[in-house]
Amino acid sequence: MFNREEYLSNSEWNAFLEASKDFATPNIFVNTTSIHHRFVQLKDSFPYAHIYYAVKSNPGIPVLKLLDQLGSNFDIASRYELDRVLSLGVSPDRTSYGNTIKKAKDIAYFYEKGVRMYATDSKEDLKNIAKYAPNSRIYVRILVENSTTADWPLSRKFGCHPDMAYDLLVQARDLGLTPYGISFHVGSQQRDIGQWNDAIAKTKYLFESIEEEEGIKLSMINMGGGFPAHYIQPTNELKEYASEITRYLQDDFGEDVPMIVLEPGRSLVADSGILTSEVVLVSRKNNTALQRWVYLDTGKFNGLIETLDESIKYPVITEKDGSKEGEVILAGPTCDSADIMYEHEKYKLPVDLKIGDKVYWLSTGAYTSSYASVSFNGFPPIKTYYMTKDGLFDENDNPIAKPE
């Protein structure tokens, strides 16, 4: 159904097969060379931007170490991510507390550790920042209607109306904080570049109005993430995103473009990963059913949660590709009827697929192991292995020996 060479070169595929053979499934293998390439590509595309890697997308220590070495900053969602990043010797001034939903005690913890930049979108959160992180810089996240063109929308739960953002920035000043900027997120895996145009226009209006009316000069625009990985739905290449977004910024701000922050996650790490699963069972629901049910040893609760509502559509291949294919419903191994990855999207797999065969999920380096349950139905969390120039490592950067 999918041409593997559109996603991975022969050398990348062969390196994966050699590294992953004999490992028990399910597992994820991440090629950090791919992440290195994506980071350099992003820096080259947005030379004026400050990159804050979204740690939640893949918090593996080998990934964090690599990005630290490449000069990345880090977008942090929790105190646990902060501890992980700081343990590597990263200076706290290279981190930002980007989660707008946080406990007062966690704000205090971040402040104690030296973090001085915080996202907010509500009055109560802002009051907590003022109390427990005094004199810090804050940026306010605005609501963006990212529509159906984002495969994983991030509207509604996060952000506030621009009018409220205005009030929060004024309140921040009055509370002794530094009103630093505006943030938005157009939705993860956003395929419509024009969504950035609308968000930047809203941001420009806020910048101008609050300076004219309140004398507050903002310094930064945090454009979040949204850049795509390579799944089955076509997208423009990163250079097209960069060209258009740069034009939007220049059209609105001219020569006075503020500091730009990007928070990539998926676009940096997704294409680096391959999830290997094994066929547990192939069955039909009646004697004349055209579709087969293919049950795998991993599913929504152990790496593939982003197939929820069939939102993220991963390329799926097998060792038998090239032979006759038929439609399948792909499901996981748990005793939960929601554990179905694809039923309405018509995936096709070889008709001679059988128990024990391997099924490979490409572009699974982001939001897979970090989303996996701890022990639903007793299944242990999916293991992730990192292929680096120095060898094979686990998520804590411990060297991994090949199975006997």
Side-chain angles (χ1 to χ4, degrees):
M1 181 175 176
F2 301 104
N3 180 2
R4 188 264 304 160
E5 293 183 19
E6 293 181 5
Y7 300 90
L8 293 166
S9 68
N10 287 329
S11 61
E12 289 172 321
W13 178 246
N14 290 331
F16 157 73
L17 290 177
E18 175 60 30
S20 65
K21 68 181 181 181
D22 302 324
F23 280 82
T25 63
N27 61 59
I28 302 166
F29 274 72
V30 170
N31 185 344
T32 59
T33 299
S34 169
I35 299 171
H36 189 154
H37 170 74
R38 299 290 180 202
F39 184 86
V40 171
Q41 184 184 39
L42 187 65
K43 284 292 290 182
D44 289 345
S45 300
F46 293 93
Y48 52 84
H50 299 254
I51 296 176
Y52 281 69
Y53 171 62
V55 175
K56 56 186 170 289
S57 60
N58 188 322
I61 293 294
V63 174
L64 301 181
K65 277 189 170 181
L66 170 64
L67 293 176
D68 176 31
Q69 292 165 6
L70 293 174
S72 179
N73 303 304
F74 297 91
D75 167 48
I76 308 293
S78 70
R79 66 161 65 194
Y80 311 102
E81 286 187 355
L82 181 66
D83 289 344
R84 199 169 180 85
V85 169
L86 295 185
S87 72
L88 303 179
V90 174
S91 172
D93 63 5
R94 290 170 56 198
T95 68
S96 168
Y97 199 172
N99 193 344
T100 60
I101 305 165
K102 47 194 179 289
K103 296 178 179 179
K105 66 180 182 181
D106 289 335
I107 295 172
Y109 185 84
F110 271 67
Y111 188 77
E112 178 189 342
K113 295 293 184 179
V115 179
R116 295 294 183 267
M117 188 158 69
Y118 298 80
T120 192
D121 63 4
S122 66
K123 293 179 180 178
E124 294 305 313
D125 181 61
L126 184 63
K127 290 177 183 177
N128 281 334
I129 296 172
K131 182 176 181 179
Y132 296 102
N135 303 311
S136 293
R137 293 171 292 169
I138 64 101
Y139 57 98
V140 179
R141 182 165 174 171
I142 60 173
L143 280 168
V144 177
E145 297 301 325
N146 26 83
S147 76
T148 57
T149 55
D151 291 341
W152 197 262
L154 291 168
S155 57
R156 295 183 63 240
K157 182 179 178 181
F158 305 103
C160 62
H161 189 277
D163 288 348
M164 185 174 181
Y166 183 106
D167 292 341
L168 289 173
L169 290 163
V170 173
Q171 185 179 1
R173 177 197 63 190
D174 296 344
L175 289 171
L177 297 166
T178 300
Y180 192 54
I182 300 292
S183 75
F184 60 79
H185 201 302
V186 297
S188 193
Q189 193 69 9
Q190 176 58 259
R191 289 175 280 112
D192 177 11
I193 305 177
Q195 293 291 321
W196 275 269
N197 192 22
D198 294 341
I200 290 169
K202 287 182 180 179
T203 301
K204 170 62 173 176
Y205 170 77
L206 272 169
F207 266 65
E208 283 189 337
S209 61
I210 203 165
E211 183 173 9
E212 290 174 2
E213 298 167 19
E214 298 291 340
I216 296 173
K217 185 170 179 59
L218 300 175
S219 304
M220 181 268 281
I221 302 175
N222 183 330
M223 298 198 296
F227 305 125
H230 293 93
Y231 300 124
I232 72 172
Q233 292 172 297
T235 65
N236 287 294
E237 291 300 315
L238 181 63
K239 64 180 181 180
E240 301 296 334
Y241 282 76
S243 174
E244 289 298 291
I245 291 169
T246 300
R247 181 171 65 83
Y248 300 151
L249 286 167
Q250 292 171 344
D251 286 348
D252 279 326
F253 288 92
E255 297 299 316
D256 194 24
V257 175
M259 171 185 171
I260 299 298
V261 166
L262 302 177
E263 293 177 343
R266 187 185 306 280
S267 63
L268 286 184
V269 298
D271 292 346
S272 70
I274 301 174
L275 188 155
T276 303
S277 57
E278 183 179 301
V279 176
V280 176
L281 183 67
V282 180
S283 71
R284 301 178 191 270
K285 295 303 183 183
N286 63 61
N287 291 331
T288 59
L290 296 176
Q291 284 185 321
R292 293 163 294 156
W293 283 72
V294 175
Y295 299 94
L296 304 174
D297 61 0
T298 193
K300 276 184 178 172
F301 302 101
N302 205 10
L304 297 172
I305 189 61
E306 287 199 321
T307 62
L308 183 70
D309 297 327
E310 305 192 14
S311 297
I312 299 297
K313 298 175 177 64
Y314 297 102
V316 176
I317 64 174
T318 78
E319 296 170 308
K320 295 181 174 178
D321 283 6
S323 59
K324 184 179 178 181
E325 295 180 332
E327 288 185 6
V328 298
I329 297 171
L330 286 168
T334 65
C335 297
D336 192 311
S337 60
D339 196 8
I340 300 170
M341 288 80 82
Y342 301 122
E343 182 173 10
H344 305 294
E345 185 73 23
K346 304 304 181 184
Y347 274 67
K348 293 182 178 180
L349 294 180
V351 296
D352 58 346
L353 197 69
K354 65 181 189 301
I355 292 172
D357 285 344
K358 289 183 177 179
V359 176
Y360 303 100
W361 299 68
L362 308 184
S363 301
T364 46
Y367 301 109
T368 45
S369 60
S370 61
Y371 255 134
S373 67
V374 174
S375 59
F376 185 54
N377 279 207
F379 292 109
I382 193 167
K383 290 186 176 180
T384 303
Y385 305 100
Y386 295 85
M387 301 163 56
T388 79
K389 59 182 178 59
D390 297 318
L392 194 63
F393 295 84
D394 68 12
E395 66 172 19
N396 294 313
D397 208 36
N398 298 311
I400 298 293
K402 294 283 288 182
E404 294 296 332

